[in-house]
Amino acid sequence: TAAGRLVQGASVFGNAKGTAVGMAPDAHLAIYKVCDLFGCSESAILAGMDTAIQDGVDILSLSLGGPPAPFFDDPIALGAFSAIQKGIFVSCSAANAGPFYSSLSNEAPWILTVGASTIDRRIVAAAKLGNGEAFNGESVFQPNNFTSTLLPLVYAGANGNDSSTFCAPGSLQSMDVKGKVVLCEIGGFVRRVDKGQEVKSAGGAAMILMNSHIEDFNPFADVHVLPATHVSYKAGLAIKNYINSTSTPTATILFQGTVIGNPHAPAVTSFSSRGPSLESPGILKPDIIGPGQNILAAWPLSLDNNLPPFNIISGTSMSCPHLSGIAALLKNSHPDWSPAAIKSAIMTSANTVNLGGKPILE
């Protein structure tokens, strides 16, 4: 994302297809591993940052962070301060604890703190109901052979069981969902793709996944294991109302592929951590938002037997490297600029309206 070379024909299951390229494709990469399966220890993070400083890097990009802490007790703030003193620019993720206030990580004033935005590309899958209504959602897996014929529709939480509401593993085995479209709710500490696996295991034909009030209108484009779509909270409420209005609710999913052009983009994603900064309230944070939802990104394993492998992933871990790459381009054009000058140039030249020319929404 920060520095990848041009890759023609990049896609996931044929969606988001095109030439993928990092922000600064001619930049060199030095990678410092500071995390493992058990997390990212403070000592490893500091050791990695110190080694990078000694190696003479120009930009530090950190798609990681911990809970807010005083700057003197925050390893990334300390390491970044040492880097800034050596003229090294530091770009960090704001964290994924939104939409709650003061949920930031990496809030030190000398760091570029990057929140996440939506982009103007959607991978559209529409939930069509028996009453003629249709609600656009997103899904990466879009099988060509799925029927457009209306199928019986059922709400997984109709039995009043919370685990069924969230389509938790094993929760649908006693329900009659065979051959039906199943409406599941996001949450319950169950991964979105795992909800679809439960629907599939119970014999369901397809899944409609609705956001909670907190996630609201930010559907994720996932590689589901069955025909599915992820819709907004408002759409989910309308689908629930339809189910309750008739004794024979029906639905299907209409796959529409990649759609470019959303005038409401960029918008702040629901998960992007918000300010104000707890440690330094006088400094506005995050500094900027960058593309962070449903991003086409290089991946170690192929999901669809295509090479080179890509995936669609979301988080401020995706937005941070976008801005790190932009900083690299500026550093290359202006090698004498300080980190503060680069940060200022990025922030003062950023767009303050969306593609429709209106104020950016959250």
Side-chain angles (χ1 to χ4, degrees), residues 6 17 28 41 55 67 88 105 116 176 192 204 206 219 228 231 280 318:
L6 278 78
K17 190 170 185 177
H28 296 273
S41 68
D55 289 347
I88 299 169
S105 294
D176 178 20
R192 297 184 299 272
V231 299
S280 186
M318 280 72 258

Side-chain angles (χ1 to χ4, degrees), residues 95-141:
N96 305 322
F100 307 105
Y101 292 127
S102 296
S103 51
L104 288 163
S105 294
N106 304 319
E107 56 187 314
W110 48 89
I111 291 172
L112 183 75
T113 310
V114 185
S117 76
T118 62
I119 58 176
D120 71 334
R121 179 191 67 223
R122 291 171 293 170
I123 305 175
V124 178
K128 182 181 179 182
L129 308 182
N131 63 1
E133 287 188 294
F135 300 95
N136 282 344
E138 298 203 40
S139 175
V140 177
F141 177 58

Side-chain angles (χ1 to χ4, degrees), residues 271-355:
F271 60 78
S272 185
S273 288
R274 270 51 166 188
S277 167
L278 288 175
E279 298 304 322
S280 186
I283 305 291
L284 293 176
K285 288 282 180 172
D287 296 301
I288 198 164
I289 52 175
Q293 182 154 16
N294 299 335
I295 303 302
L296 184 74
W299 202 245
L301 300 171
S302 176
L303 304 173
D304 53 4
N305 297 319
N306 275 345
L307 295 174
F310 279 80
N311 196 1
I312 301 282
I313 45 180
S314 300
T316 53
S317 288
M318 280 72 258
S319 54
C320 168
H322 279 90
L323 273 297
S324 306
I326 297 300
L329 294 176
L330 280 170
K331 182 74 173 179
N332 184 62
S333 298
H334 303 279
D336 57 329
W337 280 11
S338 68
I342 294 174
K343 182 179 173 186
S344 174
I346 290 174
M347 291 174 64
T348 56
S349 61
N351 289 329
T352 57
V353 296
N354 60 26
L355 294 176

Side-chain angles (χ1 to χ4, degrees), residues 15 50-51 74 76 161 165-166 168 188 194 202 207 213-214 222 234 247 277 282 297 305 309 326 334 350 355 358:
N15 290 303
D50 283 345
T51 305
D74 182 339
I76 293 178
N161 188 319
T165 298
F166 300 121
D194 290 343
M207 175 180 71
H213 179 63
I214 290 175
D222 290 315
K234 184 177 179 182
S247 58
S277 167
N305 297 319
I326 297 300
H334 303 279
L355 294 176
K358 301 290 178 62

